[in-house]
Amino acid sequence: MTALEGGAILPRRGGIFGALSDAFWRHPKLLVFLMLTPPVLWLGIIYLGSLLALLLQSFYSLDEFSGLVVPEFTLSTYAQLFRPSNFDIIVRTVLMAAVVTIASGVVAFPIAYMAARYAKGKWKALFYLGVMLPLWSSYLVKVYAWKLILAKEGILNWVFEGLHLTPLLDAFLAIPVIGGNSLSVSYTGTFLVFLYIWLPYMILPTQAALERVPVNLIDASGDLGATPSQTFWHVIFPLALPGLVAGSIFTFSLTLGDYIIPNIVGSSRQIIGQAVYAQQGSAGNIPLAAAFTVVPIVIMGLYLWMAKRLGAFNAL
Amino acid sequence: MTSAVSLQQVSRHFGAVRAMDSVDLEIAPGEFFAMLGPSGSGKTTCLRVIAGFEQPTSGHIEIFGETAEGVPPYRRNVNTVFQDYALFPHLNVLDNVAYSLMLRKVDKVDRHRQAEDALALVKLSGYGTRRPGQLSGGQRQRVALARAIVNRPKVLLLDEPLGALDLKLRERMQDELKSLQRSLGITFIFVTHDQGEALSMADRVAVFSDGKVMQVGTPEDIYNHPNSRFVADFVGSSNVLPPDFTAAITGQRAWASLRPEAIRITPSDGAAMQGRVVARSFMGSTVRLGLDVNGVSLHAVVPASTNTTAIGDTVGVAFAPEALHLMGREA
Ligand SMILES: Nc1ncnc2c1ncn2[C@@H]1O[C@H](COP(=O)(O)OP(=O)(O)O)[C@@H](O)[C@H]1O
Ligand SMILES: [Mg+2]
């Protein structure tokens, strides 16, 4: 054993870092303060500040004749949201977001379950790679790729033709609202692209939640007489629910806010993101754009409140 | 009479690891049976094989006379108290306890009443609405126990259930478990690495080592007549004496065990056997001495009131020849 030089108390380390270490040790709150200040400023001013500015704008209105924003408090802009043309946009968007979220959950859960319960080592790495790889390539490239896939001259039509299933596709496209001239200009197309693009955001939190379900709880459930399906519904699913809800927050809010995908793949009827884009751009109606932006925030608030009421976070 | 649990030549191998190696056990109905052994000796694997979480690599298992290989855990009327309790974090205490009743579609009022009764049995009345996360270790242990007995299983398996509790609580739970077992009449199979716990609680004890059962017997049997060096070493703190030493006293060359309490310390003058005191620790009412007798180390536990030896003293060492227990197996 090497004996340390000197007495029982070691001398202070030299330099500015030595002095700093001692100071932080003596005043731990100082360190916390220094570390928290930049993010709090960032969040407070840039993030929440701009959100508040937006909220403020939504209480202004647009003068119909001059086209100028009138900076006076009014609820008339919000009232405009309830005009049939605008309200349709909201309903359409919420429906789209809900369907995309449910479908993502249904598709993501088995994948997440396999990855969490059965994939080990190399296979797990492959899973992460497979799920994340699409996130690393450009969003626009992927959306345009989908436009080509779904187009009338696209590979999907070609496959249907090869299988002599074209009448089936045509019958589907003939369905009002979800159909259209081709998949690339239909709501179904928009839905498929949303589903594809947001899926990783559903898989990853679900997988993380499933991974944290202790194996011995599954054993305990079986021990107490539960068949595998009972164990799934009474133990695994409730414990994975916070992960599913976290994933659904992503898929739901991302769909509520997106305007690029429906612009490239979809019908001419707008969803909220497109409406915001149009109002603040060509129409120059910033207050209405702001009011539209508040809608997803309110809906997400309601959604979380409902999820909590239904006990989605009980396992946390 | 049919055994509650019967293991016949049961092995469970994990690759090259023989977690259970040709285990034979017959556990009687209503018995409090302990599995004792050091960590890694295969006790948990043995419990998991009985519960149905593991399938044996070979061998035959019967539970109350019925073949159990290939039967999934949920069809065995056997419940387990897990080492780390395994309480469901998303359910409150009452719903945890009522879980097995809920699965069997007992209606809510009825199952909550039964769960309350089970909680009362483990002295946790009124804790039903709490979450497992809001309970102390000892309370969780009781909830796990209540959950496992609410159904009155045929066999209750307990995997080191008291391991995580502090000494005071552990001693109290030992007494409570024992009286619970007596009042319920359920067969308890209790895993522990604590020899004191096994000996004081169990009707019979099986000592495990490296996946094999070394000895099965009553606590007195195991304690007084260990059949191998391993058992003598592991159960309590027997002295294990080499064949040369034994031969000098009994004329028979065999390993032998000698309880520390059987040794008396006498004045060194004229003693047939002399030893040097190399260690001495005060244990309250007794003193534990480490002795060196012609190169063989022994330890003795003697009454504190009569002992005035100090380290380095030469003392006389005596014991009745009958106290020397010859072991059949050399192992
Ligand atoms: N699922 C498993 N896979 C591989 N080895 C295992 C597994 N379970 C137990 N073992 C091995 O079997 C041996 C016995 O383990 P265990 O039954 O847990 O012992 P104990 O409960 O007596 O501590 C150990 O060597 C352990 O590493
Ligand atoms: Mg164990």
Side-chain angles (χ1 to χ4, degrees):
Chain A
M1 224 168 77
T2 46
L4 288 167
E5 296 286 319
I9 305 288
L10 303 179
R12 171 176 296 175
R13 309 270 168 93
I16 183 153
F17 288 111
L20 268 180
S21 300
D22 284 12
F24 284 147
W25 183 83
R26 243 176 269 125
H27 308 284
K29 284 190 182 143
L30 185 66
L31 182 64
V32 174
F33 177 77
L34 284 179
M35 288 204 302
L36 276 184
T37 307
V40 164
L41 284 179
W42 170 266
L43 258 179
I45 295 173
I46 304 195
Y47 215 79
L48 292 178
S50 55
L51 211 61
L52 282 178
L54 182 85
L55 198 64
L56 201 64
Q57 293 273 333
S58 68
F59 289 109
Y60 296 165
S61 64
L62 192 78
D63 188 300
E64 302 261 334
F65 298 106
S66 63
L68 293 176
V69 174
V70 186
E72 278 166 26
F73 181 88
T74 169
L75 287 173
S76 67
T77 309
Y78 279 102
Q80 282 178 40
L81 285 181
F82 291 95
R83 285 184 193 161
S85 59
N86 289 337
F87 197 68
D88 277 356
I89 295 177
I90 295 172
V91 171
R92 190 180 299 139
T93 311
V94 172
L95 278 179
M96 175 63 86
V99 174
V100 167
T101 297
I102 291 168
S104 301
V106 170
V107 175
F109 199 90
I111 299 173
Y113 188 79
M114 286 297 155
R117 300 290 313 285
Y118 301 108
K120 298 266 173 331
K122 183 172 79 196
W123 289 103
K124 185 145 268 174
L126 210 65
F127 159 79
Y128 280 117
L129 205 68
V131 173
M132 310 256 260
L133 206 58
L135 291 179
W136 299 341
S137 57
S138 158
Y139 167 89
L140 275 180
V141 169
K142 286 180 292 183
V143 178
Y144 275 108
W146 270 100
K147 191 180 177 66
L148 293 180
I149 293 171
L150 299 173
K152 233 188 172 52
E153 311 77 30
I155 188 167
L156 209 66
N157 267 29
W158 178 76
V159 168
F160 271 92
E161 215 164 288
L163 296 171
H164 303 290
L165 290 174
T166 309
L168 207 67
L169 185 62
D170 286 343
F172 179 82
L173 287 174
I175 300 174
V177 184
I178 61 169
N181 248 340
S182 79
L183 278 174
S184 63
V185 294
S186 69
Y187 278 136
T188 309
T190 320
F191 161 78
L192 285 174
V193 180
F194 273 137
L195 178 60
Y196 168 80
I197 303 271
W198 305 147
L199 196 59
Y201 298 99
M202 183 63 100
I203 294 178
L204 291 174
T206 305
Q207 187 257 356
L210 280 166
E211 195 121 291
R212 282 196 308 267
V213 176
V215 177
N216 69 1
L217 292 188
I218 295 166
D219 278 349
S221 174
D223 188 67
L224 292 164
T227 61
S229 82
Q230 285 177 312
T231 297
F232 179 84
W233 286 113
H234 293 298
V235 178
I236 299 173
F237 187 74
L239 290 175
L241 203 54
L244 269 175
V245 171
S248 70
I249 290 168
F250 284 120
T251 57
F252 202 75
S253 60
L254 287 170
T255 310
L256 285 182
D258 194 81
Y259 72 98
I260 297 174
I261 292 173
N263 251 354
I264 299 172
V265 177
S267 85
S268 55
R269 277 163 300 204
Q270 291 181 325
I271 71 170
I272 288 180
Q274 291 167 293
V276 172
Y277 181 71
Q279 294 300 337
Q280 64 89 37
S282 48
N285 192 344
I286 299 281
L288 188 56
F292 261 122
T293 314
V294 172
V295 172
I297 299 173
V298 171
I299 291 173
M300 285 314 294
L302 284 175
Y303 177 70
L304 286 181
W305 175 75
M306 240 160 55
K308 188 169 158 38
R309 279 288 300 271
L310 291 176
F313 306 113
N314 279 359
L316 289 183
Chain B
M1 193 169 63
T2 45
S3 299
V5 174
S6 161
L7 302 183
Q8 294 160 23
Q9 289 292 304
V10 173
S11 296
R12 178 69 175 102
H13 299 169
F14 297 103
V17 179
R18 295 166 173 236
M20 275 176 88
D21 199 8
S22 302
V23 169
D24 280 307
L25 281 178
E26 297 291 334
I27 299 166
E31 193 170 28
F32 197 124
F33 192 88
M35 294 181 178
L36 173 66
S39 169
S41 58
K43 309 174 301 286
T44 295
T45 305
C46 191
L47 271 200
R48 291 176 59 82
V49 162
I50 297 172
F53 304 130
E54 300 282 356
Q55 292 299 318
T57 308
S58 62
H60 179 60
I61 308 168
E62 284 178 12
I63 300 175
F64 281 91
E66 294 188 74
T67 299
E69 304 86 275
V71 177
Y74 54 88
R75 281 183 41 217
R76 300 183 186 207
N77 204 350
V78 171
N79 284 352
T80 308
V81 176
F82 290 84
Q83 190 160 4
D84 46 8
Y85 317 137
L87 299 178
F88 302 121
H90 58 298
L91 301 179
N92 67 20
V93 166
L94 199 63
D95 286 330
N96 260 283
V97 176
Y99 187 79
S100 58
L101 302 170
M102 182 268 296
L103 295 172
R104 290 191 296 137
K105 312 228 159 29
V106 176
D107 76 77
K108 198 161 188 162
V109 176
D110 219 23
R111 70 175 187 249
H112 280 175
R113 204 200 60 242
Q114 290 186 44
E116 283 290 359
D117 290 349
L119 281 174
L121 219 49
V122 297
K123 306 193 172 62
L124 270 186
S125 297
Y127 282 79
T129 54
R130 300 221 194 160
R131 288 295 173 117
Q134 298 168 310
L135 301 179
S136 72
Q139 291 169 333
R140 282 182 218 184
Q141 208 273 323
R142 286 159 194 264
V143 176
L145 192 61
R147 184 178 70 174
I149 59 174
V150 73
N151 238 342
R152 296 293 186 276
K154 294 284 224 183
V155 180
L156 186 71
L157 309 175
L158 304 102
D159 192 357
E160 310 216 11
L162 311 181
L165 307 183
D166 61 63
L167 185 63
K168 265 265 158 47
L169 197 55
R170 192 156 76 220
E171 286 174 348
R172 211 173 72 212
M173 280 308 292
Q174 285 174 1
D175 295 342
E176 287 184 15
L177 270 181
K178 192 74 192 128
S179 66
L180 191 68
Q181 191 260 344
R182 234 171 283 142
S183 64
L184 293 175
I186 295 174
T187 310
F188 273 35
I189 304 180
F190 184 97
V191 160
T192 177
H193 63 257
D194 179 332
Q195 42 279 52
E197 198 164 275
L199 297 181
S200 65
M201 296 175 75
D203 298 325
R204 283 192 310 146
V205 179
V207 184
F208 279 70
S209 168
D210 281 334
K212 286 194 264 299
V213 173
M214 304 301 288
Q215 188 172 2
V216 185
T218 62
E220 288 80 6
D221 249 1
I222 303 263
Y223 191 78
N224 293 322
H225 306 291
N227 67 357
S228 58
R229 277 174 70 191
F230 174 82
V231 175
D233 244 348
F234 189 73
V235 178
S237 42
S238 256
N239 292 296
V240 177
L241 305 175
D244 286 344
F245 190 98
T246 319
I249 299 165
T250 64
Q252 261 179 292
R253 284 187 55 83
W255 288 89
S257 69
L258 177 64
R259 312 287 345 156
E261 314 82 74
I263 297 177
R264 278 173 293 117
I265 301 298
T266 61
S268 61
D269 321 315
M273 191 187 292
Q274 290 194 334
R276 207 162 50 78
V277 179
V278 292
R280 181 178 196 278
S281 38
F282 178 66
M283 314 283 288
S285 61
T286 58
V287 172
R288 194 182 153 89
L289 297 175
L291 302 166
D292 178 341
V293 180
N294 303 326
V296 174
S297 61
L298 290 181
H299 49 263
V301 173
V302 296
S305 52
T306 61
N307 190 272
T308 54
T309 51
I311 290 178
D313 287 358
T314 300
V315 295
V317 176
F319 51 86
E322 314 83 82
L324 209 57
H325 171 68
L326 301 186
M327 293 182 288
R329 276 205 257 175
E330 280 263 314

